[in-house]
Structures are given as C-alpha cells and as structure tokens.
Amino acid sequence: MQELLKENKNEDNWDLISNNNIFKVEFAQNTQQMINNWNMGTARWLRLIVFERVPKNFKFLAVPGTFLLSAVWHGFWPGQYVFFVLTNFTLMAYKNLNKSIIPWLEYKTNNNKKIIDLVYFWGSLLQHIVFNLNGVSFTILQTWDRTVFYYRACYFIPQILSLM
C-alpha cells in the first residue's frame, strides 16, 4: 500500500494536513492538475479504492468508475452527477488532444516555443471556463430542473465544449 502512495508525484510534498493546493488549482493547465490538487485526501482514497484496482483488461473503466464513486461519495444530487460526467468527458478530451494534436502541432511548428506556449495558454483558459461552467451544476444547481434550466439558458455551450 505504501508503494502505491509514493508513486503519485503530487504527494511527495503533501504534508497530510492541507487538503487543497489553491495556487495549483487556480493556475492548473488542465483538468488532471486541478483534480490532483483539489481535495487531495479524497482523490488519494479514490485512486487507491477504484483507479488502482481496476483490472488491466478494463482500464478504460478506471476513470469513469472513479468519477462515479466520487459522485456517490458527494451525495445523490443530479447536478453533481452532471458535473462528474462532464468532467470525465473534459479529462478524456484533454488526454486525446495531448496525444494527437500537441505532437502534430510541435511537428508543424518545428517546436516553436512561442506558438506552443500560446496554445497551452488558450487551452488552459478554455479548460477553466468549461470547468467553471460545468461546476455551477455541482455547487448551485443541485436539482435536475434547475440544472437543465441553467444549461438551456447557456444554450448547452459547456456540454458542447466538453464534448468537442
């Protein structure tokens, strides 16, 4: 068990008292960095209980299963399930983009640092906007009717951006 705990790079400096690293959450470049630095105790518990225990044949279910258990852990409010599903899609989108678009962009721009930094900046900004628009359903709109009303008023832009 201790070996699993030492594998996470974010826990190397974790003092086991503070549960959030606000600076790293607010300036995170992607959803994974936000998750790793927010509610670190629960994230660690979820990783050990769900993510690490999923068999290799079913690794594609590790992240959605972790989000599902996290949603159950937070309570039975529909808005929270909407948030966790959309966050799962956002995280999958980031991973897919990081594997496909970024290497292609580096190749096309001959590793031009300014262009790549600009892409990371705009991607980070877009990720924060989408995450915060999705987070409204978690924090304020916990009923299904209020969540649907909010997203209709936003013309489902957070969902469209998450799915894109």
Side-chain angles (χ1 to χ4, degrees), residues 1 43-54 66 69:
M1 182 76 84
R44 177 179 162 200
W45 177 77
L46 287 167
R47 188 180 61 254
L48 291 174
I49 297 300
V50 180
F51 190 80
E52 297 291 337
R53 292 184 180 189
V54 173
T66 305
L69 181 60

Side-chain angles (χ1 to χ4, degrees), residues 33-148:
Q33 288 179 355
M34 291 179 85
I35 293 168
N36 288 343
N37 290 294
W38 182 260
N39 204 353
M40 293 185 282
T42 304
R44 177 179 162 200
W45 177 77
L46 287 167
R47 188 180 61 254
L48 291 174
I49 297 300
V50 180
F51 190 80
E52 297 291 337
R53 292 184 180 189
V54 173
K56 290 185 179 186
N57 300 351
F58 298 103
K59 272 300 182 190
F60 63 94
L61 294 174
V63 174
T66 305
F67 277 116
L68 179 64
L69 181 60
S70 184
V72 171
W73 172 263
H74 280 87
F76 296 101
W77 295 98
Q80 293 174 344
Y81 286 91
V82 170
F83 170 75
F84 283 113
V85 166
L86 292 174
T87 303
N88 181 40
F89 284 133
T90 305
L91 186 60
M92 288 178 3
Y94 163 72
K95 288 179 179 181
N96 288 336
L97 285 173
N98 206 25
K99 288 180 183 176
S100 60
I101 301 294
I102 298 300
W104 175 81
L105 184 67
E106 289 173 348
Y107 172 74
K108 286 293 186 183
T109 61
N110 295 325
N111 286 331
N112 187 340
K113 182 120 172 83
K114 289 181 182 180
I115 294 174
I116 293 171
D117 287 345
L118 193 63
V119 168
Y120 276 118
F121 170 77
W122 285 108
S124 174
L125 185 64
L126 180 64
Q127 180 267 332
H128 277 278
I129 290 169
V130 168
F131 193 83
N132 288 327
L133 287 172
N134 289 336
V136 170
S137 64
F138 183 86
T139 57
I140 298 172
L141 310 171
Q142 294 184 348
T143 65
W144 182 250
D145 296 337
R146 292 167 64 186
T147 302
V148 171

